[in-house]
Amino acid sequence: MSNIKFNDQCVHVVFLGLPNVPGIAAEIFNSLSEHSVGVFMVTQNTMRGGRSDLSFLIHKDKLDEIIPVCREAAEKVGGQGVSFATEVAAITVSLKSPADSAHTLAKIFKALASVNVNIEIINSTLDSAICIVSLTKAHEGLKALKKILD
């Protein structure tokens, strides 16, 4: 029924308390691009008080190189800081069709909950859903998903 991908070589990077004004994300990603850092699953959440958090995933092998770049970028744009979560995994599930996505998403969330896997971040597109989970529970979640989706 589905195609499931598992990535335990990612780092969740979060720029905290960024000014919620145009150009901030462009400045951050320009800094990253100068260091040839690939990013995926970009999300931004607007907070109260004119601030927002911007997060994305990078490959673990880029972490040492990217920490100072991110800290400098956060300071440059007036952010409140940056965090790096290394003990996470990304589980990506292909969705059959947009019309069936709510049904499949419900099954994904139920399967992960059944083995007590908390989803830290959810991101979906027309053809896939990505769940970021704690690395300590990721393999249990993957097994539960394969059981109900395959």
Side-chain angles (χ1 to χ4, degrees):
M1 175 182 156
S2 67
N3 183 16
I4 302 172
K5 295 178 183 175
F6 183 80
N7 180 353
D8 62 356
Q9 295 300 306
C10 55
V11 175
H12 179 217
V13 180
V14 183
F15 281 78
L16 303 161
L18 297 170
N20 192 20
V21 297
I24 298 296
E27 185 69 40
I28 289 169
F29 287 101
N30 185 59
S31 295
L32 295 170
S33 72
E34 290 173 358
H35 294 273
S36 301
V37 175
V39 302
F40 57 104
M41 206 180 102
V42 178
T43 42
Q44 180 174 325
N45 298 307
T46 302
M47 314 300 267
R48 291 185 182 129
R51 294 282 173 173
S52 63
D53 289 346
L54 174 70
S55 68
F56 52 88
L57 300 177
I58 63 167
H59 196 273
K60 275 186 180 176
D61 67 358
K62 290 289 192 177
L63 180 61
D64 291 338
E65 175 186 346
I66 205 64
I67 288 174
V69 173
C70 289
R71 288 183 176 154
E72 183 180 313
E75 186 175 322
K76 184 176 182 179
V77 299
Q80 295 172 342
V82 61
S83 70
F84 306 89
T86 59
E87 298 299 312
V88 297
I91 302 173
T92 305
V93 179
S94 296
L95 302 175
K96 287 192 310 184
S97 71
D100 192 45
S101 63
H103 175 71
T104 304
L105 289 170
K107 287 174 71 172
I108 292 168
F109 303 152
K110 185 176 180 179
L112 293 174
S114 75
V115 291
N116 202 31
V117 173
N118 189 42
I119 303 169
E120 296 179 18
I121 305 170
I122 303 164
N123 189 339
S124 68
T125 65
L126 290 175
D127 57 4
S128 68
I130 306 172
C131 298
I132 306 303
V133 300
S134 169
L135 190 54
T136 59
K137 299 287 286 182
H139 289 284
E140 288 178 67
L142 180 62
K143 184 177 176 181
L145 287 169
K146 285 182 176 182
K147 185 176 179 181
I148 66 142
L149 294 173
D150 285 340

